[in-house]
Amino acid sequence: MSDTGAGGDEVIHDAPGFIRVYKSGRVERFLRIDFAPPCTDAATGVSSKDLTILPGAGVSARIYLPPAPAGGQQGKLPVLVFFHGGAFCLGSAFDAAAYGHANQLAARAGAIVVSVEYRLAPEHPVPALYGDAWAALQWVAAHEGGQGAEPWLTNHADFGRVHVGGESAGANIAHHAAMRAGAEELGHGVKVSSLVLIHPYFLGGDSSESDEMGMALLDELVRLWPVVCPGTSGCDDPWINPMAEGAPSLAGLGCKRALVCVGGKDAMRGRGRLYREKLIGGGWQGEVEIWEADGQGHGFHLFRPTCAQAEAQVRVIAEFLGHR
């Protein structure tokens, strides 16, 4: 049942401590963004800076460049285009936790990381952010052959190793970007090499293996979905459930390798496992790996980045990206 907020504005969705959405379109977010400025990280030597991708739309990114090897020159580096999580309506590429994770990925994988600041729902309802993701991939691809305005890409990127990835809702976004890459050309001869999904945010199906806390989270996400995606058909909408009957075939995934990371106590771990199974049995001509953090919940690596499982997850991703 809807409540009435200050000034008589009707509340259509209230997730206490996270987000409140009003009928007028006003949105209140209660998770503070702990902005971390770009810099050269003293511990890893990774440099970062912010840049604009779509000026008119407000789509931007933070790019990370790992240091050159001691006593040697910087060779060509793989590129990871990465999308943060936040249920499509929260989070930022510039948050301290997102910064720390991207910094570690760049350092461990020896990769250029382009962490995308896409537009959030409900102000920009799903599927707008999928368009932002595609624009970011095209922007990266446009630097092939020394073209483009960003010297870290023109001078250092190996455009034969362009990867796409994300965590939670960002993993969902990465999946759809890879699907689009299977149906359309990115341009400049650039292809998506692989896909990295960290705790992917997919709904639908049987959630019976989730504990009480996990079920509470899933119930909240089910309530939130039509708020961020008005007009949706529900939790078997292919945007939120790419394994649903009638969804585009996963055989069309536009890359040759995929890695799915799940948490052993993540309420959506079953969806990540099913995604792997559907890739294997769905006619996709690629290789998929899965890695599970035993006993860990959704997004644990952002809250406890120095724990052994978080460091192991980064190591697994780095090794995956290092494959030639």
Side-chain angles (χ1 to χ4, degrees), residues 198-230:
I198 305 172
H199 310 169
Y201 177 18
F202 300 137
L203 298 179
D206 181 18
S207 302
S208 60
E209 68 174 53
S210 293
D211 57 21
E212 185 175 345
M213 184 177 295
M215 286 304 298
L217 171 62
L218 284 173
D219 288 345
E220 189 60 54
L221 294 175
V222 168
R223 287 200 313 117
L224 180 60
W225 172 240
V227 177
V228 300
C229 186

Side-chain angles (χ1 to χ4, degrees), residues 21-257:
V21 182
Y22 295 85
K23 189 174 183 178
S24 66
R26 183 164 62 99
V27 178
E28 292 180 304
R29 292 180 173 87
F30 304 108
L31 283 181
R32 184 176 66 90
I33 300 301
D34 183 12
F35 178 80
C39 64
T40 297
D41 186 78
T44 64
V46 172
S47 299
S48 59
K49 61 182 175 180
D50 296 342
L51 44 83
T52 300
I53 292 176
L54 289 177
V59 179
S60 58
R62 178 164 293 176
I63 187 170
Y64 297 79
L65 180 70
Q73 287 189 334
Q74 185 76 280
K76 294 294 185 179
L77 305 173
V79 180
L80 173 62
V81 182
F82 195 82
F83 305 99
H84 68 82
F88 306 110
C89 60
L90 297 166
S92 170
F94 307 133
D95 183 72
Y99 165 83
H101 187 233
N103 182 72
Q104 285 297 315
L105 288 174
R108 295 288 187 90
I112 298 170
V113 176
V114 180
S115 183
V116 180
E117 181 79 343
Y118 53 86
R119 293 173 295 171
L120 299 178
E123 297 94 331
H124 305 281
V126 174
L129 42 72
Y130 298 124
D132 294 349
W134 186 249
L137 268 174
Q138 288 185 310
W139 178 86
V140 169
H143 289 77
E144 163 67 312
Q147 305 300 310
E150 177 44 56
W152 285 5
L153 290 173
T154 55
N155 295 336
H156 301 294
D158 179 353
F159 290 96
R161 292 186 290 162
V162 174
H163 313 281
V164 62
E167 58 199 6
S168 190
N172 175 300
I173 295 168
H175 158 76
H176 287 291
M179 287 294 292
R180 188 165 177 179
E184 299 180 31
E185 293 292 331
L186 268 176
H188 308 275
V190 175
K191 306 291 184 183
V192 173
S193 297
S194 69
L195 172 65
V196 177
L197 304 184
I198 305 172
H199 310 169
Y201 177 18
F202 300 137
L203 298 179
D206 181 18
S207 302
S208 60
E209 68 174 53
S210 293
D211 57 21
E212 185 175 345
M213 184 177 295
M215 286 304 298
L217 171 62
L218 284 173
D219 288 345
E220 189 60 54
L221 294 175
V222 168
R223 287 200 313 117
L224 180 60
W225 172 240
V227 177
V228 300
C229 186
T232 180
S233 59
C235 290
D236 282 329
D237 184 326
W239 288 128
I240 197 65
N241 184 8
M243 293 84 74
E245 185 176 351
S249 172
L250 294 180
L253 192 69
C255 59
K256 294 300 184 183
R257 301 175 68 241

Side-chain angles (χ1 to χ4, degrees), residues 5-17:
D9 196 356
E10 184 181 0
V11 177
I12 61 172
H13 184 84
D14 189 8

